[in-house]
Amino acid sequence: MIRVSVDSAPIDVGVELAGIEESGAGGIASFIGVVRGDGGVTCLELEHYPGMTEAVLCDLAEQAMTRWALMSAVIVHRVGPMEPGERIVLVATAAAHRGAALEACAFLIDRLKTEAPFWKREQRGERATWVDARESDAEAANRWTG
Amino acid sequence: MIRVSVDSAPIDVGVELAGIEESGAGGIASFIGVVRGDGGVTCLELEHYPGMTEAVLCDLAEQAMTRWALMSAVIVHRVGPMEPGERIVLVATAAAHRGAALEACAFLIDRLKTEAPFWKREQRGERATWVDARESDAEAANRWTG
Amino acid sequence: MRLLYFAWVRETIGVGEEDVQPPEAVRTVSDLIDWLRGQSEGHALALVDFKRLRAAVDQKFVPLDSDLGPAREVAIFPPVTGG
Amino acid sequence: MRLLYFAWVRETIGVGEEDVQPPEAVRTVSDLIDWLRGQSEGHALALVDFKRLRAAVDQKFVPLDSDLGPAREVAIFPPVTGG
């Protein structure tokens, strides 16, 4: 089962994980990204490329399903404005054994960071700045190549 | 924040992850182990060594907190009888960045498998058999040494 | 040809999308960006530095030196920062 | 000295815990296991194979050749299978 969602509604972790548990897997790994409030950020806004985003996420989920023989892969990404403490992204993978689930989960979040067309803008009071891409993200994504 | 629990009550993932999200972390990684029904298993029973179990889990959580500079580490392990589809274990880690959270989560579940005094007995109808330890678990735990 | 802009590229140009008909000589994504720079001050400012730009043709990421081919939709944007 | 047994070691011996006073000559965990084998048929059967046994002294895992020292609680059990 693949589930990909890009939506402005808050992410309900309980519901998403309950859904993936029904796949009969022995192990479910997940990663949740949360808006950090450090550096005085009051609001984070996520812009994306509708249509392309969903296609990229589906393609990543399919790659993970095949490479790690997963039973399920779920990617839920929030867009629009959100506050510190709110969830930006949930990635979850289900497999017969834990090693596959954990690796596939790391693969999905690493590759999402460099391949999915999202852009973050941080608001600090009245001032808004677009977040720069990080070199460390490119390195993390590269370790899955080949 | 460290939270360790060994209990016969079902594991509530929503509650556990909501608790860990409050630590102000940017990333939360988790692993959930679920009772598999393959091979005709009708019931799984978990026995443990009260006192020692909690001490081992606390020690593992403390090691992970230090090694990956975590904000939180949670280990919740169920004991007693449970049915296929029910959760046996939840491990969750919170860190400023995803790499630390994901690695620490893998460390905790790998080491728990070989160091925490739990024993599984599988019931298939009337027949009960104690589960044998797996060589692959020892190998997975060893990769964190040194 | 439909153009889409995102993030600060969109903000600096002042529109999120527009339809353009570039001349025949515009063959690659870089050619297109070069040509767009002459369209307005906003375009010139947003598109000044190739190194800060990425592109997708018909919703697939491509290097900037790629041929446009029979592209219907070209998107120009900064490096992505999701997750 | 308090002894604890778990999993099939407990089932085969027939009790989960017992208090024993081994003779002076019992110095290591293996010595203790050897001595316990003579206590009952259940003990003999459960403890027949060192390779299938693990132990903890005062709630710390120890190799079977460890000295018991002033141990108050010794647990004998199969390799663990949690998670």
Side-chain angles (χ1 to χ4, degrees):
Chain A
M1 189 261 301
I2 284 179
R3 173 169 147 72
V4 161
S5 161
V6 179
D7 200 276
S8 59
I11 297 172
D12 188 326
V13 172
V15 167
E16 298 297 345
L17 293 185
I20 202 170
E21 279 179 343
E22 283 165 19
S23 55
I28 292 115
S30 73
F31 177 81
I32 300 164
V34 174
V35 181
R36 290 161 62 194
D38 43 344
V41 171
T42 50
C43 175
L44 185 77
E45 187 151 1
L46 255 290
E47 179 172 333
H48 79 118
Y49 183 168
M52 179 169 168
T53 311
E54 292 83 349
V56 167
L57 297 183
C58 280
D59 181 55
L60 287 177
E62 277 162 20
Q63 285 182 48
M65 291 287 284
T66 308
R67 183 158 169 185
W68 284 278
L70 301 181
M71 285 155 168
S72 269
V74 170
I75 308 174
V76 182
H77 205 296
R78 194 166 168 197
V79 290
M82 55 202 95
E83 290 176 14
E86 292 196 282
R87 301 176 194 113
I88 312 172
V89 64
L90 166 75
V91 167
T93 52
H97 299 290
R98 70 185 184 286
L102 285 162
E103 264 193 44
C105 182
F107 164 87
L108 284 176
I109 187 68
D110 280 348
R111 295 284 287 263
L112 180 156
K113 288 251 176 194
T114 56
E115 293 182 24
F118 292 103
W119 299 273
K120 282 195 187 104
R121 180 166 53 177
E122 292 174 342
Q123 195 106 20
R124 290 178 177 80
E126 294 297 290
R127 201 162 153 267
T129 44
W130 291 94
V131 172
D132 279 329
R134 291 189 311 183
E135 185 55 37
S136 61
D137 285 334
E139 285 157 17
N142 278 338
R143 75 188 163 114
W144 300 106
T145 332
Chain B
M1 190 263 299
I2 285 179
R3 174 169 145 72
V4 162
S5 161
V6 179
D7 199 277
S8 60
I11 298 171
D12 187 326
V13 173
V15 167
E16 297 297 346
L17 293 184
I20 202 171
E21 280 179 341
E22 283 165 19
S23 55
I28 292 115
S30 73
F31 176 81
I32 300 164
V34 174
V35 180
R36 290 162 60 193
D38 43 343
V41 171
T42 49
C43 176
L44 185 76
E45 187 151 0
L46 256 288
E47 180 171 333
H48 78 120
Y49 185 167
M52 179 170 168
T53 312
E54 293 83 350
V56 168
L57 298 183
C58 280
D59 181 54
L60 287 177
E62 276 162 21
Q63 284 183 48
M65 290 287 285
T66 308
R67 184 159 169 183
W68 284 278
L70 301 180
M71 286 156 168
S72 267
V74 171
I75 307 175
V76 182
H77 205 296
R78 193 165 169 197
V79 291
M82 54 201 95
E83 291 177 13
E86 291 197 282
R87 299 174 195 114
I88 312 171
V89 64
L90 166 75
V91 167
T93 52
H97 299 289
R98 71 186 183 284
L102 285 162
E103 264 193 45
C105 182
F107 164 87
L108 284 176
I109 188 67
D110 281 349
R111 295 285 287 265
L112 180 155
K113 289 252 176 194
T114 57
E115 293 181 24
F118 292 103
W119 298 273
K120 281 192 187 111
R121 180 166 54 179
E122 291 174 342
Q123 195 106 22
R124 291 177 176 79
E126 294 297 290
R127 202 163 154 269
T129 44
W130 290 94
V131 172
D132 279 330
R134 291 189 312 185
E135 186 55 37
S136 61
D137 284 335
E139 285 158 18
N142 277 339
R143 75 188 163 113
W144 300 106
T145 331
Chain C
M1 179 185 294
R2 185 138 199 85
L3 297 186
L4 300 178
Y5 308 121
F6 293 102
W8 53 257
V9 176
R10 171 181 58 70
E11 282 190 337
T12 310
I13 291 178
V15 297
E17 45 187 275
E18 59 183 331
D19 287 303
V20 295
Q21 293 209 302
E24 288 268 322
V26 169
R27 297 186 166 270
T28 66
V29 177
S30 319
D31 293 345
L32 177 66
I33 291 173
D34 260 337
W35 176 75
L36 284 167
R37 283 169 178 157
Q39 298 304 104
S40 81
E41 252 181 71
H43 286 83
L45 198 61
L47 306 175
V48 65
D49 185 358
F50 280 124
K51 284 197 299 294
R52 299 185 67 205
L53 299 173
R54 300 291 181 271
V57 170
D58 291 332
Q59 307 203 351
K60 301 272 179 209
F61 283 112
V62 295
L64 297 189
D65 59 3
S66 304
D67 273 339
L68 286 167
R72 281 166 309 170
E73 182 174 298
V74 178
I76 303 172
F77 43 75
V80 302
T81 56
Chain D
M1 180 186 290
R2 185 139 200 86
L3 297 185
L4 301 178
Y5 307 121
F6 293 102
W8 54 257
V9 176
R10 171 181 58 70
E11 283 189 334
T12 309
I13 291 177
V15 296
E17 44 188 274
E18 58 183 332
D19 288 302
V20 296
Q21 294 208 301
E24 288 269 320
V26 168
R27 295 183 169 273
T28 66
V29 177
S30 319
D31 293 345
L32 177 66
I33 291 172
D34 259 339
W35 176 76
L36 284 167
R37 282 169 180 159
Q39 298 305 104
S40 82
E41 251 181 72
H43 286 83
L45 199 60
L47 305 176
V48 65
D49 185 358
F50 280 124
K51 284 198 299 294
R52 299 186 65 204
L53 298 173
R54 301 290 182 273
V57 169
D58 290 333
Q59 307 203 352
K60 301 272 180 209
F61 284 111
V62 295
L64 298 190
D65 60 2
S66 304
D67 274 340
L68 287 167
R72 282 166 307 169
E73 182 175 299
V74 178
I76 303 172
F77 44 75
V80 302
T81 56

